[in-house]
Amino acid sequence: KAGVTQTPRYLIKTRGQQVTLSCSPISGHRSVSWYQQTPGQGLQFLFEYFSETQRNKGNFPGRFSGRQFSNSRSEMNVSTLELGDSALYLCASSLEFSEEQYFGPGTRLTVT
Amino acid sequence: AQSVTQPDIHITVSEGASLELRCNYSYGATPYLFWYVQSPGQGLQLLLKYFSGDTLVQGIKGFEAEFKRSQSSFNLRKPSVHWSDAAEYFCAVGAGDYKLSFGAGTTVTVRA
């Protein structure tokens, strides 16, 4: 079974721009979560989606948003990029009511 | 809210020696507990999990972990380390809200 896939793997953007990251979950997994990983703050939860609905949200500004499609694929968007948004963004998928999350390889975002 | 502490930032171990990584959590009820491993530039790979039952759990790559409720700990062990075990290890806790809280991670260096 194919794992979680994330596209693109690497991205370079300029301050003030916006960016959209994509995540395809493991087949049969309907929950998708997003995390930000930075050297200073570590791994931080962004949000989680199930059946196209956000079920939980972390403490990030409104510039960070996400959505989930009917096929369980998910996207996250960051608007008005700041230098501090440079990070590895990880997507994870899980079965419907499971805490067991499987992670993708991540998207490395660099903001200049 | 739940939280995780990994007291050791960096551990160096000789190949063939045993390894123990410490993890302490803070949560009122019995949490869902996980250990993940991350190689440089990669996503997180699930090593093992504890939900309930037997407090000693076996995982992949020869790793095991023991849940000790009285100490709020979930330490990871491996009897004999291989050079390929050099990576960063993260302990995580889930509280049934589809969000994982991670520790800061422990970097393991394996010397020949």
Side-chain angles (χ1 to χ4, degrees):
Chain A
K1 188 182 280 191
V4 177
T5 58
Q6 293 187 243
T7 57
R9 291 293 310 278
Y10 302 92
L11 208 48
I12 300 175
K13 290 287 188 178
T14 304
R15 269 181 305 174
Q17 289 185 317
Q18 73 164 11
V19 67
T20 298
L21 312 182
S22 181
C23 171
S24 292
I26 292 171
S27 177
H29 286 192
R30 296 174 61 198
S31 167
V32 174
S33 301
W34 290 89
Y35 294 81
Q36 181 196 64
Q37 185 178 27
T38 60
Q41 299 299 316
L43 280 152
Q44 294 186 288
F45 172 77
L46 280 156
F47 27 64
E48 185 264 353
Y49 287 88
F50 171 76
S51 193
E52 303 178 65
T53 300
Q54 187 181 87
R55 290 195 297 192
N56 203 344
K57 185 179 187 303
N59 296 322
F60 279 82
R63 300 186 297 107
F64 292 81
S65 62
R67 60 177 176 168
Q68 186 181 35
F69 302 95
S70 58
N71 62 358
S72 297
R73 190 176 68 85
S74 177
E75 289 181 348
M76 67 163 283
N77 184 78
V78 188
S79 62
T80 319
L81 283 166
E82 300 176 359
L83 294 178
D85 297 333
S86 293
L88 181 67
Y89 290 88
L90 293 163
C91 168
S93 74
S94 63
L95 292 170
E96 186 168 340
F97 296 112
S98 175
E99 295 281 309
E100 187 172 335
Q101 298 184 12
Y102 292 87
F103 285 79
T107 295
R108 172 73 63 185
L109 172 65
T110 301
V111 182
T112 62
Chain B
Q2 65 270 32
S3 65
V4 180
T5 301
Q6 293 181 246
D8 304 305
I9 296 174
H10 190 197
I11 286 181
T12 298
V13 60
S14 297
E15 193 169 15
S18 63
L19 173 69
E20 181 167 12
L21 304 182
R22 296 182 291 164
C23 172
N24 293 97
Y25 68 89
S26 173
Y27 181 60
T30 300
Y32 301 99
L33 295 163
F34 307 87
W35 275 99
Y36 287 88
V37 61
Q38 184 178 37
S39 297
Q42 303 297 314
L44 302 175
Q45 182 182 23
L46 179 63
L47 285 175
L48 46 77
K49 60 185 183 286
Y50 174 79
F51 289 172
S52 64
D54 193 347
T55 56
L56 184 63
V57 294
Q58 303 296 320
I60 62 172
K61 303 186 178 188
F63 285 93
E64 65 177 27
E66 186 172 13
F67 169 62
K68 291 186 177 180
R69 185 190 305 276
S70 61
Q71 299 177 19
S72 297
S73 69
F74 188 56
N75 293 349
L76 181 72
R77 298 193 292 256
K78 185 169 185 177
S80 178
V81 169
H82 187 262
W83 64 265
S84 60
D85 294 321
E88 190 162 19
Y89 292 79
F90 293 92
C91 181
V93 60
D97 56 357
Y98 314 109
K99 159 193 167 185
L100 295 182
S101 296
F102 286 86
T106 298
T107 299
V108 173
T109 298
V110 181
R111 59 181 174 219

